[in-house]
Amino acid sequence: MARVALVQQDYAKAAEYANEVKSQFSLMSQTQYKAGFNDYSNPEWMWGVTIQEDQSDYFGNFHAYMSRNYNSSQIRTAPKVMNTNLYNAFPTTDVRTQVVDPTGKHISLGLPSNYSLFAYTSQKFLAQSTSSSLGDVPFMRVAEMYLIEAEALYKLGKETESKAVLATLEKARDTDFTGFTTSGDAYYQQILLNRRIELWGEGFRFFDLKRLGQKLDRTGANHNATVINNVYTIEPTDLKWQWLIPIAEINSNPLCEQNPS
């Protein structure tokens, strides 16, 4: 309900519902944050799925695609990399940067020699081992509720209250955090940056850009021009943001019309 209210810009309800949830869960420790996001017993997880060993989908599992250590062609050749502009927006004392390796070597994981190494790859997600893609998957965490409430309160003109909420999350992620030094829109951008780094890899960025009417902007970061086909920006009005209705559905349903352009 908090998620929906935020999208609807019903900020009073978004703040109310998010606040109601927060008291029922605790934020994870920094040690738990670096443990691989693969255990549904994490105290911060509100909703997730636990993968049973005899029901593994092997290469179809989430961690077979998003982890840094499972031995799949996707992970060996195309590990997930964090945008350097996002990484550089937070200090190295923030645990959310500590799961990203600027060298890409991930020495602690002991990656086999056939793994491609790229700078700023993330090990936020870890599979059970290089030979097992098992790992539980988070769908909703209480950290998101802190972010929703902070954003909603700001939109309601309650910046002081918003900062108090977001500071609780920040202190949990960075023991050196002392407070916010910005206000107004500059502070609001801090909320959005915290959403990006806190929820990185969990499926939020595409929808956040859509709900905020913001463009995709990859300029000045660590993107490979060939890999992204030289597409560095996509304006919010671009039709690329819309999923087309499959032609097979249109052909089989005479009452179905394609999305308006």
Side-chain angles (χ1 to χ4, degrees), residues 1-36:
M1 292 172 70
R3 280 182 179 180
V4 172
L6 187 67
V7 174
Q8 293 176 329
Q9 299 181 12
D10 188 342
Y11 298 119
K13 286 185 178 179
E16 176 189 352
Y17 296 148
N19 179 269
E20 186 177 335
V21 171
K22 283 165 40 192
S23 62
Q24 302 178 48
F25 297 86
S26 59
L27 292 169
M28 71 178 85
S29 68
Q30 293 197 9
T31 298
Q32 289 169 321
Y33 198 95
K34 293 188 284 188

Side-chain angles (χ1 to χ4, degrees), residues 30 34 87 92-101 123:
Q30 293 197 9
K34 293 188 284 188
Y87 177 88
T92 56
T93 51
D94 193 310
V95 70
R96 296 170 298 190
T97 66
Q98 294 170 17
V99 295
V100 176
D101 189 345
Q123 63 180 64

